[in-house]
């Protein structure tokens, strides 16, 4: 799928989602209510979810309708849950509430909505996406490119104004209106007018919204709670421990020592690190739930996460990093039931056993050294991931007979040749 096709689907999914939400309110409550966050007729949660499902689950469109329904429901529910909490954090109010429905969680997700998401996912992947892409293909190339760029530009400007409004920029900087420089004053006035319009629209649609952002008190404890520094350190720790655990698991089950790293420098598994960081960030407020609740949530979210990671790496790098085709109850070789259960057990072990002492240990680090160490590790991991991505992209290009086009690609070919890649990624397969 090309960039323009992806953007086209994102735009239409957002627009159709907005129309669906508004129509639903009109039919049930007999009144109009803006159901989007942006000023335009766009509901971004539909755009994001639709694109993820279309790209990630399109190979299930023909035969595996049950798994298409199940994964669509899980992925869309996760997006809805995350989006609801982000909006609540920004605006101090709820933008939707399922509290009166049975089997709900925090009022942001519920079983009936999840079933609806699953059905929409099946319809989208099997019929809607092909129809929209066929429509896109009928347009002249220049027309569709200009249309996509124009729509993305409008959505970007709308999004910037909305984010600044949600962040309370107008409330934080009232002194901006007193700027004396003519050019600066004109720019500021235009910006304030734009933000004011966005704020008035939001308050009309959601009167309880509080757009004045309170100042946060600075903590004297390093990486307190679920802070940025703690999440970064947990990502790095999880990447390291995940690689070690997988390596030992391969040794015990297959009798061989095998690298399970996903980076060219050091024993780090990005899949595990990202999983640990995300599960902590998203489920921190539920860490005291029962073990059974954490197991079910971990099984469903972990399975969906691993499936999407497999799709992403295959699309971007043209390679398959793992294949469960020989295991029972697998789905396209990307996930299998046993390993989904492992995700569930891992969620329970993490929040009930590992996280509390590890969190306390991180918080004991002195603030200044901890900050410096975290930023140094962040820069190293960022560079490591960029170089690793470049090495894998060149590995795929070499297999297709494409010579290096510049000095950087030449360096990647010489430093990370086929033998090096085979040693770091022994189970890597070309698509």
């Amino acid at each position: 799928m090309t960039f323009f096709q992806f953007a086209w689907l994102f735009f239409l999914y957002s627009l159709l989602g907005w129309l669906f939400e508004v129509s639903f309110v009109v039919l049930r409550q007999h009144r109009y209510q803006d159901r989007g966050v942006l000023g335009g007729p766009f509901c971004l949660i539909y755009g994001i979810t639709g694109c993820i499902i279309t790209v990630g689950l399109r190979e299930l469109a023909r035969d595996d309708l049950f798994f298409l329904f199940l994964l669509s429901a899980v992925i869309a529910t996760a997006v809805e849950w995350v989006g609801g909490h982000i909006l609540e954090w920004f605006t101090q109010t709820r933008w939707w509430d399922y509290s009166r429905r049975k089997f709900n969680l925090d009022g942001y997700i519920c079983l009936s909505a999840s079933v609806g998401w699953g059905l929409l996912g099946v319809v989208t992947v099997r019929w809607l996406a092909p129809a929209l892409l066929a429509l896109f293909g009928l347009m002249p190339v220049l027309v569709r490119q200009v249309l996509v760029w124009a729509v993305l530009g409008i959505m970007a400007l709308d999004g910037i104004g909305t984010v600044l409004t949600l962040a309370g920029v107008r409330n934080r900087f009232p002194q901006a209106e007193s700027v004396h420089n003519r050019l600066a004053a004109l720019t500021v006035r235009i910006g304030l007018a734009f933000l004011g319009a966005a704020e008035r629209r939001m308050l009309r649609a959601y009167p309880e919204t509080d757009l004045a952002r309170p100042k946060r008190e600075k903590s004297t404890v390093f990486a307190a709670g679920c802070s940025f520094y703690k999440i970064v350190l947990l990502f790095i720790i999880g990447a390291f421990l995940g690689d070690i655990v997988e390596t030992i698991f391969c040794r015990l089950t297959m009798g061989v020592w095998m690298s399970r790293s996903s980076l060219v420098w050091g024993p780090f598994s990005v899949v595990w690190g990202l999983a640990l960081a995300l599960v902590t960030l998203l489920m921190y407020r539920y860490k005291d739930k029962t073990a059974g609740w954490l197991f079910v949530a971990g099984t469903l979210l972990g399975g969906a996460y691993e499936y999407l990671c497999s799709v992403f790496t295959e699309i971007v790098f043209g390679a398959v990093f793992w294949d469960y085709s020989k295991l029972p109850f697998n789905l396209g070789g990307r996930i299998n039931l046993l390993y989904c259960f492992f995700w569930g057990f891992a969620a329970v072990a993490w929040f009930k056993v590992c996280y509390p002492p590890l969190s306390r240990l991180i918080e004991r680090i002195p603030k200044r050294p901890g900050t410096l160490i975290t930023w140094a590790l962040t820069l190293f991991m960022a560079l490591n991931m960029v170089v690793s991505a470049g090495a894998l992209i060149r590995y795929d290009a070499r297999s297709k007979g494409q010579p290096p086009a510049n000095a950087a690609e030449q360096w990647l070919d010489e430093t990370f040749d086929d033998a090096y890649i085979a040693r770091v990624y022994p189970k890597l397969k070309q698509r």
Side-chain angles (χ1 to χ4, degrees):
M1 183 179 296
T2 66
F3 165 78
F4 289 100
Q5 290 176 317
F6 188 86
W8 169 254
L9 289 179
F10 176 75
F11 160 65
L12 285 183
Y13 287 154
S14 300
L15 175 61
L16 293 174
W18 183 86
L19 291 172
F20 173 78
E21 288 282 336
V22 170
S23 301
F24 185 77
V25 172
V26 169
L27 291 175
R28 293 200 61 180
Q29 302 178 17
H30 305 289
R31 66 187 180 91
Y32 167 80
Q33 182 180 10
D34 189 351
R35 300 295 293 172
V37 179
L38 299 182
F42 307 113
C43 195
L44 295 185
I45 194 170
Y46 283 86
I48 295 170
T49 305
C51 287
I52 292 175
I53 291 174
T54 300
V55 175
L57 307 182
R58 56 185 174 179
E59 60 191 26
L60 305 178
R62 290 188 177 181
D63 303 322
D64 299 306
L65 288 183
F66 172 74
F67 287 109
L68 175 59
F69 165 82
L70 181 62
L71 285 176
S72 295
V74 171
I75 293 169
T77 300
V79 173
E80 185 177 33
W81 182 67
V82 173
H85 283 88
I86 291 175
L87 286 172
E88 182 182 357
W89 185 78
F90 267 112
T91 64
Q92 309 300 310
T93 190
R94 288 177 175 268
W95 289 55
W96 62 86
D97 192 354
Y98 300 140
S99 299
R100 296 183 180 179
R101 298 191 188 183
K102 292 182 179 180
F103 310 109
N104 75 85
L105 177 61
D106 292 337
Y108 280 123
I109 58 175
C110 66
L111 182 59
S112 59
S114 296
V115 171
W117 280 116
L119 294 174
L120 280 176
V122 172
V123 172
T124 298
V125 176
R126 192 159 190 180
W127 295 290
L128 182 59
L132 294 179
L133 290 174
L135 176 63
F136 187 69
L138 295 176
M139 301 181 193
V141 175
L142 181 60
V143 172
R144 62 195 188 196
Q145 290 183 354
V146 170
L147 176 62
V148 166
W149 282 117
V151 171
L152 288 180
I154 294 171
M155 293 181 73
L157 291 174
D158 197 354
I160 292 171
T162 301
V163 169
L164 292 178
T165 302
L166 292 176
V169 171
R170 291 186 78 244
N171 303 89
R172 286 185 182 179
F173 302 106
Q175 68 275 21
E177 295 188 69
S178 64
V179 176
H180 297 294
N181 181 279
R182 291 186 178 181
L183 180 59
L186 177 61
T187 304
V188 169
R189 288 194 188 105
I190 293 173
L192 289 173
F194 183 52
L195 294 176
E199 181 176 307
R200 288 190 295 273
R201 175 185 59 80
M202 287 184 190
L203 292 176
R204 283 197 304 269
Y206 305 94
E208 297 131 358
T209 302
D210 182 9
L211 297 174
R213 311 305 303 136
K215 291 184 178 180
R216 297 183 180 181
E217 295 182 2
K218 291 185 178 180
S219 174
T220 57
V221 178
F222 172 69
C226 190
S227 66
F228 165 79
Y229 292 106
K230 182 172 288 181
I231 295 299
V232 170
L233 290 177
L234 289 178
F235 166 75
I236 296 171
I237 293 171
F240 174 75
L241 293 180
D243 181 86
I244 300 301
V245 169
E246 280 208 41
T247 300
I248 295 175
F249 180 78
C250 289
R251 180 67 178 87
L252 295 176
T253 57
M254 295 186 290
V256 294
W257 292 107
M258 181 188 302
S259 169
R260 302 300 295 164
S261 177
S262 51
L263 299 177
V264 293
W265 294 327
F268 300 106
S269 175
V270 173
V271 171
W272 278 98
L274 191 58
L276 201 65
L278 286 176
V279 76
T280 304
L281 182 64
L282 298 178
M283 298 180 64
Y284 178 77
R285 67 193 306 180
Y286 309 105
K287 64 182 185 301
D288 297 323
K289 291 279 189 179
T290 64
W293 190 96
L294 291 172
F295 174 78
V296 173
T299 298
L300 294 175
L301 293 177
Y305 167 75
E306 187 174 17
Y307 188 95
L308 290 177
C309 285
S310 175
V311 173
F312 174 81
T313 53
E314 183 173 333
I315 292 175
V316 175
F317 302 120
V320 178
F321 284 79
W322 60 85
D323 186 359
Y324 303 140
S325 299
K326 296 181 180 179
L327 295 177
F329 306 108
N330 75 84
L331 182 58
R334 301 187 186 280
I335 59 174
N336 69 87
L337 186 61
L338 177 62
Y339 286 6
C340 286
F341 287 157
F342 284 172
W343 284 110
F345 288 124
V348 175
W350 173 242
F351 283 113
K352 296 299 182 183
V353 180
C354 303
Y355 176 77
L358 184 57
S359 176
R360 290 193 295 269
L361 181 63
I362 292 175
E363 290 178 3
R364 289 198 188 107
I365 300 174
K367 194 167 185 178
R368 185 173 179 79
T371 302
L372 294 175
I373 291 171
T374 303
W375 279 111
L377 290 173
T378 300
L379 293 174
F380 166 72
M381 291 298 287
L383 178 63
N384 200 356
M385 285 188 280
V386 169
V387 173
S388 299
L392 288 170
I393 290 172
R394 278 305 305 157
Y395 172 73
D396 180 52
R398 286 198 303 271
S399 69
K400 298 174 181 176
Q402 299 176 9
N406 50 55
E409 293 186 352
Q410 180 69 35
W411 177 79
L412 288 171
D413 285 355
E414 294 174 355
T415 307
F416 308 105
D417 57 15
D418 291 352
Y420 191 104
I421 296 296
R423 185 168 64 255
V424 177
Y425 309 104
K427 299 192 75 175
L428 185 66
K429 296 180 181 178
Q430 290 301 122
R431 182 170 51 186

